[in-house]
Amino acid sequence: MPWPRAKRKKRLLALTAAVALAGTGLGVPALTAGAAAAPDASAACDAPDARIYQVPGSVPSDPGSVIACRATALPHVPGNVPMRAWKVQYSSKDNAGKPVAVSGTVAVPDARWTGRGSRPVVAFNPGTLGLGPQCAFSKQLAGAFQDEYEGENIAALLKAGYAVAATDGAGYLDGQTHPYVSGADAGHALLDIVRSASAIPGSGLDPKTKVGLWGYSEGGAASLWAAQLAASYAPELDIVGDASGGVPGDLKVVAKSLNGGPFAGFLVDAVLGLSSSHPRMPFEELMNEQGKETLRKARSHCLLGTISTLAGQRIEDNTKDGLSLEQLYALKGTDGRTWGQVVDEQKLGTGIGRAGSGATYEIGFPVLQYRGALEEVVPIETEDATRKAYCEADITTRWKVYPGEHLTTDQLAKDDTVKWLGDRFEGKPEFGNCLLP
């Protein structure tokens, strides 16, 4: 039974503080992103709910194609915002370029858009929700399970008049594992749900409209990866800005901090996520009996269960030979890469530059980054380092520190972020504040 919103918030905050201290429907034919929308969404988006989460027999090679969709209500988006909403399964690509199906949610407010041009779309990636199949953001927003904490972020965007394309991220289809913290997987999934949004029959969205990216924590890493990959992977999208908060930019720094600590469950999720997205790397065979049980718990829990049941877990205690993080990083996969190389490939802020710079990742729009002054989950050294890397690469970057810890900062930044994105949609200039300390 879902908790009442106020009670849920209190429980999330209390638990965070305490831990810190101690089918078969066919759906619609695959629609190419940007295809003309049908006038009546209900006539075409009629896939059974289970179909959204079933692995399809084949995945279209064109990223952003709608594989299946269904109209839905979003009871956990507060404020009774009049809207049309859909669950959607769409095509994307994994980190190796292989087509994969991903689930998510698209919502469009009923209120007529009165701003410039066509209604903008914000691509939203939720923060960490856990690896259990019930944890998918689309399921939680629709009321099937309740452990999420960002329904108010979605409501704020809809109230501002923006459409929202919120990915679950890859790996929430039946029998899959979410590739938690795998940068390319996350960035592709976020960009591709924008492509799919205009292809949903009845959405009325313009494939050429302005796009904003937003995410916090795991979502912040995902949105920043989407920003880095956009020019090469989705050059047709008119992205005008990215907002990324609580960013775990360097996973080695984060792993060292999490190992054996109160938020060790996030490290377990990361190890599971990267092993699922990089199957050539050694993993299951390294686990002892405790490790196997730890992985079982991680695969079944959402946010609260991940924090509470996996607190204090150490990598050394879960591997057959008591392997440390450094020893794990030295192990090679069948492709010759080491685990250390795989983890380093997820580091944000490397190989970046302005549009036309010739950098590996060219970014031609401003970026907002932020964190909490009392951050206790993601080491502030890596959050600050990511911001510094963006400034040194001459990418227009605005930075803000809020008077909160990890969870509360997500909400403290909500209104500022929606306004910042709105300024980008209106074409207002952004000069950043990289010169400030």
Side-chain angles (χ1 to χ4, degrees):
M1 178 178 179
W3 306 327
R5 182 163 295 275
K7 184 177 179 181
R8 186 172 69 254
K9 264 190 175 179
K10 288 181 180 179
R11 186 170 175 182
L12 278 167
L13 291 170
L15 180 57
T16 302
V19 174
L21 291 171
T24 58
L26 295 177
V28 300
L31 298 174
T32 300
D40 181 5
S42 63
C45 280
D46 57 358
D49 190 72
R51 175 66 182 85
I52 302 298
Y53 305 102
Q54 290 175 351
V55 178
S58 61
V59 179
S61 59
D62 191 8
S65 298
V66 175
I67 301 171
C69 59
R70 65 176 280 109
T72 188
L74 302 179
H76 289 294
V77 173
N80 297 314
V81 185
M83 72 177 90
R84 292 161 290 148
W86 302 266
K87 287 186 176 183
V88 60
Q89 184 187 104
Y90 62 96
S91 61
S92 186
K93 290 187 177 181
D94 66 12
N95 64 88
K98 177 184 176 182
V100 293
V102 181
S103 55
T105 305
V106 173
V108 181
D110 287 344
R112 186 172 66 90
W113 172 249
T114 58
R116 291 186 182 185
S118 56
R119 188 190 303 275
V121 177
V122 175
F124 186 86
N125 202 111
T128 298
L129 293 175
L131 302 185
Q134 76 277 21
C135 311
F137 197 45
S138 61
K139 291 182 179 180
Q140 297 206 43
L141 291 179
F145 177 83
Q146 188 52 201
D147 195 272
E148 62 84 20
Y149 46 93
E150 293 180 302
E152 292 182 2
N153 299 44
I154 304 302
L157 292 168
L158 294 171
K159 288 176 182 177
Y162 313 136
V164 177
T167 185
D168 291 341
Y172 283 107
L173 304 189
D174 297 342
Q176 296 182 339
T177 298
H178 175 49
Y180 186 68
V181 303
S182 179
D185 291 90
H188 292 167
L190 188 57
L191 293 167
D192 287 330
I193 197 169
V194 178
R195 287 167 156 162
S196 75
S198 61
I200 293 176
S203 73
L205 297 173
D206 182 351
K208 297 182 180 180
T209 196
K210 292 181 178 179
V211 176
L213 309 172
W214 185 15
Y216 183 78
S217 192
E218 176 194 355
S223 60
L224 208 53
W225 264 110
Q228 293 188 174
L229 292 168
S232 59
Y233 183 74
E236 82 282 6
L237 295 181
D238 185 11
I239 300 175
V240 297
D242 164 62
S244 298
V247 178
D250 186 334
L251 295 185
K252 284 185 175 178
V253 173
V254 179
K256 183 178 180 180
S257 174
L258 293 178
N259 193 32
F263 299 102
F266 298 147
L267 174 57
V268 178
D269 281 1
V271 172
L272 257 173
L274 287 177
S275 69
S276 72
S277 59
H278 296 78
R280 293 185 177 183
M281 303 306 298
F283 178 59
E284 294 279 358
E285 65 270 28
L286 303 177
M287 298 296 111
N288 58 23
E289 289 305 311
Q290 178 178 320
K292 293 176 183 178
E293 177 63 15
T294 296
L295 298 183
R296 186 195 66 77
K297 291 178 180 178
R299 287 188 172 107
S300 63
H301 284 299
C302 294
L303 175 64
L304 290 176
T306 297
I307 295 174
S308 61
T309 66
L310 299 178
Q313 288 289 340
R314 299 169 68 249
I315 288 290
E316 294 86 343
D317 297 332
N318 286 272
T319 54
K320 292 178 181 177
D321 299 317
L323 299 173
S324 67
L325 284 168
E326 292 300 326
Q327 289 172 320
L328 281 171
Y329 293 150
L331 298 180
K332 289 184 178 182
T334 57
D335 61 356
R337 287 188 299 174
T338 66
W339 262 122
Q341 289 173 313
V342 169
V343 174
D344 283 339
E345 287 169 2
Q346 318 312 316
K347 185 176 180 180
L348 285 155
T350 62
I352 57 174
R354 295 177 67 91
S357 66
T360 301
Y361 305 118
E362 294 187 359
I363 302 174
F365 46 82
V367 169
L368 167 67
Q369 295 185 43
Y370 55 94
R371 66 164 173 83
L374 305 177
E375 172 67 69
E376 82 289 25
V377 179
V378 178
I380 61 173
E381 62 185 280
T382 186
E383 295 180 272
D384 292 352
T386 302
R387 176 252 186 169
K388 182 180 179 183
Y390 268 68
C391 287
E392 290 180 345
D394 200 27
I395 296 169
T396 301
T397 303
R398 181 158 295 277
W399 172 255
K400 186 165 183 177
V401 177
Y402 289 88
E405 41 68 64
H406 190 75
L407 183 61
T408 55
T409 296
D410 191 4
Q411 288 300 302
L412 289 172
K414 169 174 60 67
D415 292 340
D416 287 346
T417 303
V418 173
K419 182 182 183 304
W420 187 85
L421 289 169
D423 287 345
R424 307 288 75 74
F425 293 141
E426 292 178 14
K428 294 182 179 180
E430 169 63 276
F431 301 105
N433 58 358
C434 280
L435 295 180
L436 297 178

